[in-house]
Amino acid sequence: MQLAKTDILTHNDQLTRSHQKKLEFIVSGLPAADKIISKLSAFQIAIPSWALGTGGTRFGRFPGGGEPRNLEEKIEDVGLLHALNRSSGAISLHIPWDIPTDAAAIRKLAASFGLKFDAMNSNTFQDQPSPAEGSAKARPQALSYKFGSMQHVNKAVRQQAIQQNLEVIRYGEELGSKSITVWLSDGSSFPGQLNFREAFRNTLDSLREVYAKLPPDWKMFVEYKAFEPNFYSMTVGDWGQSHLYAQKLGAQAFALVDLGHHLPNANIEQIVSLLLMEGKLGGFHFNDSKYGDDDLTVGSIRPYQLFLIFNELIDGMDDRQMNHAEDLGWMIDASHNVKDPLEDLLQSVEAIKIAYAQALLVDRKQLNDAQRQNDVVKCQEILQSAFRTDVRPLVAEARLINGAALDPLKFFRDKKIREKLVAERGSKTLATGL
Ligand code: LRH
Ligand code: MN
C-alpha cells in the first residue's frame, strides 16, 4: 500500500498549529535544537521482517488479520512505516523465513519505498520442514539442531549450520546488505549435558569458517542470550562470551546487544559502555521486557534504562568520533502478541528516537565536571532533567522536515490502514516469523 503524499500533507496541516506551539516552547530554551533535529532526521532504525505479523507464545497466537503473506508484502509494510515516520529506512531479513526468490526484483521493490537491507539473520535454531517440490523454500535440512548447531558434537551438524550461514551471506550480497547476525540457541538444559569448553571451541571454529567467507566490507554480529530455549547454559550466554568470540574472530566481528537477553537487573548501559570502549559493540536489537525475553514495545516498561543506554552510547561514540546514524546497527527485535504489529513498531521507533533526543540534551561537560567532584546529586539532576524533558516536538519536527506524518499513529488509525490491509489481504493471513 503506497500512501498518498497529499494525505500526509493534509494530516500535517491539521496538526501544524499545535505542533509549532510545542516546538517553539522547547526550542526557546534549547540553543542546540537544530543540531538535535538534524541528528534525529538522519537516525534510521531497521525493522525486523519477522515482526510484521502477530507473534505468539506456546500458549497461543491471536492473529489480527491483514498480515503480510510473503516477502513482497513485508517490504510494503515496512515501506508504509517509513512513509509515516521517515525513520524506518531498512528491513532486516531472516532466512529461511524470507528467502528472496528474485533478489533483483526484491531489491527494486524495496528501493521504491526508500528501503535498504540491514543485517541478515541466520536460523539454525529450528529444523526446517522439507520444502514442497519445486518451492523456492530452503534446501532440505538433513540433520536436526535439537542438540545445537555450531556447538554440536557431530561435525556434520556443525558443517550444515556453517553452510546455512554462508547461504545467508550470499542472499545478503544479492540484496546489498552489509552484515549478518548470528544468534545461536545452542546450549544445554541440564547439568552434565554439555562440555562447556568443547561447545565453545566447536562454536568458535564454526564461526571462524563463516567469518573466513565474510565479504571484506561486511560485519558479523554475535548475538548473546542468557537463557531460552536452553535453560541451564547458553553457548553464547552473555556479553563476555560474545566479546570473547568477536575478539578471537577478528576486526569484522562484534557483539550484538538484544535488550531482552540479559539476566534480571543486569546493568545493560554499563555493558554497552564497555563494549563500545573496546570497539566491539556492533549494534542493537531494541525491545523491552519486565521478566525474560518478552520482546515488548521499546520503552514500554523501562524507558529510563533506554535513556541511560543512549546516554552511554553518545558518550562512547563521541569519544571514538563515531557517526551516530551509520556506525552501529540499529534494529528492533520485537514480537506483538496483543498489539497491532504496525502500531507497535511505530511506538517502538518513536521511543528509540525520544531516548536518543533526550540523551543528546545531556550537557556532557557539566556531567563530567560533576563526576570529577563526586557531586552525586548533581550528576543525577543533570541526567534526569534531560530525561524529564518532553522532546517529542523535536522528534515530530524531524519527521515533518523529512516529509513524514506529524503523528504517525493517528494517521494510521484515522486512515483505517489496518482495515484496508484486512480488506486487501484477508482476516486470516499469517506472516512467517515468531
Ligand atoms: C532470539 C532473537 C534473535 C532472532 C530471534 C527472532 O531470541 O532475539 O535475534 O533471531 O529472536
Ligand atoms: Mn534478537
Side-chain angles (χ1 to χ4, degrees), residues 223 258 261 285 333:
E223 182 178 3
D258 183 313
H261 287 188
H285 278 181
D333 181 0

Side-chain angles (χ1 to χ4, degrees), residues 50 94 97 121 125 183 223 225 258 261 285 293 333 434:
W50 60 93
H94 220 298
W97 294 334
N121 297 268
F125 52 83
W183 172 65
E223 182 178 3
K225 185 172 183 178
D258 183 313
H261 287 188
H285 278 181
D293 188 19
D333 181 0
L434 283 182

